[in-house]
Amino acid sequence: MGTDPATGKRGAAAGAMGNFQLEDFVAGWIGGAASVIVGHPLDTVKARLQAGSGYGSTLSCIRTVYRRESVFGFFKGMSFPLASIAVYNSVVFGVFSNTQRFLRHHRCREPEAGPPHVLSDLLLASMVAGVVSVGLGAPVDLIKIRLQMQTEPFQEANLGLKPRVAALGEQPAYQGPVHCFATIVRTEGLAGLYRGASAMLLRDVPGYCLYFIPYVFLSDWITPEACAGPSPCAVWLAGGVAGAISWGTATPMDVMKSRLQADGVYVNKYRGVLDCISQSYQKEGLKVFFRGITVNAVRGFPMSAAMFLGYELSLQAIRGDRVVTSP
């Protein structure tokens, strides 16, 4: 990472100087893979809480999944996100870093003379990253949710449907990510891959603003002026706090996204985001929008800590940088 001349600190996600840099994409891929491995078990619990039924609490959900499906149930559907979300995070971090770098150069003829971080630049770069993330991430998230939810019971008494659950001896709806992808395209068309994309857009645009901006300012705040850059501990802490903030505040739209994407495994229940919001509120009240907020915030910390730490350390290794602390 290049040293910020205005502060003497280095931080890739905080806005390295220079032209378009592919290293950001490579480092984002490594960080993304780390975050998937760390966060997928709690991501499965979150999806079950938000779109499933029969769970009284987070601990109840964990016990039920373990009892029915053993420890492997928590890693259901992980192979696809491990391969794809790493690429997805690569693009998000690459777009954010390069957009911020472009805005800084566009705003100042001599960027070295300007302030190190401008809120408007961070805000716009985060929004661009959020929009791009939906284009790439909606199909990935849809397949992940479908694979996570296919063992869930769906009881639609008001539609006259019998409860249906993929029991241990019963053939699941999807045989794997490739079969899931092919089934969705065959039954719902290419547009089916973007089911829930509007809710994801409403989640991710503000969500990435509350992801990158707290990380940038918090990592600067906890890094002493004597240090040439944030230590791994500072990156881990700032990244974890930023993730908890982002995922906690994104929970209402995350619930709607999960429900829209899980819709269609057995029945088609919602006509869109507004219909999903309306039906969910009428049946379960205001509390439904905060379902899974605890697991979201708890899961957000280690996932984002691993993401930012993997990103920053791999970028240092790629560029041959070393963080040096002055005595």
Side-chain angles (χ1 to χ4, degrees), residues 4 49 59 109 153 179 183 216 231 261 264 284 323:
D4 192 314
L49 282 169
L59 290 178
R109 288 182 178 271
H179 180 254
T183 301
V216 168
S231 66
Q261 290 181 327
E284 301 174 62
V323 175

Side-chain angles (χ1 to χ4, degrees), residues 44-314:
T44 297
V45 174
K46 180 209 69 155
R48 299 291 179 89
L49 282 169
Q50 292 180 342
S53 60
Y55 303 116
S57 65
T58 299
L59 290 178
S60 171
C61 180
I62 293 172
R63 286 195 299 266
T64 302
V65 172
Y66 180 76
R67 186 174 65 251
R68 290 178 180 173
E69 306 168 55
S70 79
V71 69
F72 297 106
F74 296 102
F75 294 92
K76 187 179 293 292
M78 192 182 81
S79 60
F80 184 68
L82 185 60
S84 54
I85 290 180
V87 176
Y88 161 81
N89 276 290
S90 166
V91 173
V92 167
F93 271 70
V95 167
F96 171 79
S97 297
N98 283 285
T99 300
Q100 188 195 355
R101 194 175 296 117
F102 169 79
L103 292 171
R104 185 183 176 95
H105 278 264
H106 181 73
R107 178 173 45 82
C108 302
R109 288 182 178 271
E110 296 181 1
E112 294 83 357
H117 307 303
V118 176
L119 182 60
S120 59
D121 289 358
L122 293 171
L123 189 64
L124 186 54
S126 300
M127 292 173 69
V128 171
V131 172
V132 172
S133 75
V134 174
L136 292 175
V140 173
D141 222 32
L142 175 69
I143 292 171
K144 175 175 68 68
I145 289 288
R146 291 288 179 90
L147 290 172
Q148 288 173 326
M149 295 301 299
Q150 64 177 341
T151 59
E152 280 299 290
F154 281 77
Q155 184 170 6
E156 307 295 340
N158 60 322
L159 297 179
L161 299 176
K162 295 180 180 180
R164 177 177 176 183
V165 59
L168 292 177
E170 186 180 338
Q171 188 80 352
Y174 307 114
Q175 306 305 311
V178 175
H179 180 254
C180 181
F181 176 88
T183 301
I184 293 171
V185 172
R186 185 177 67 252
T187 58
E188 304 175 50
L190 289 175
L193 293 172
Y194 285 88
R195 180 187 291 268
S198 52
M200 192 174 181
L201 188 68
L202 292 172
R203 182 197 72 174
D204 282 3
V205 171
Y208 275 115
C209 291
L210 292 172
Y211 186 64
F212 286 115
I213 294 174
Y215 170 75
V216 168
F217 287 112
L218 186 58
S219 62
D220 275 358
W221 180 64
I222 61 179
T223 300
E225 287 294 331
C227 296
S231 66
C233 183
V235 171
W236 178 84
L237 180 60
V241 171
I245 293 172
S246 176
W247 276 107
T249 54
T251 297
M253 290 314 302
D254 191 47
V255 173
M256 297 301 103
K257 178 203 71 70
S258 294
R259 292 191 167 202
L260 285 166
Q261 290 181 327
D263 193 37
V265 178
Y266 301 118
V267 294
N268 288 312
K269 183 178 178 182
Y270 305 116
R271 295 190 300 272
V273 179
L274 293 179
D275 184 50
C276 183
I277 293 173
S278 176
Q279 287 195 44
S280 299
Y281 177 73
Q282 289 175 6
K283 292 181 180 179
E284 301 174 62
L286 192 62
K287 65 180 180 181
V288 69
F289 299 108
F290 301 96
R291 177 173 290 183
I293 188 170
T294 301
V295 71
N296 244 353
V298 171
R299 158 184 167 270
F301 190 101
M303 274 189 67
S304 298
M307 175 74 239
F308 279 106
L309 190 60
Y311 174 76
E312 295 281 7
L313 293 180
S314 60

Side-chain angles (χ1 to χ4, degrees), residues 20-44:
F20 180 84
Q21 297 176 15
L22 289 174
E23 292 96 332
D24 292 306
F25 292 88
V26 177
W29 184 88
I30 295 171
S35 72
V36 171
I37 294 170
V38 169
H40 193 80
L42 282 176
D43 185 65
T44 297

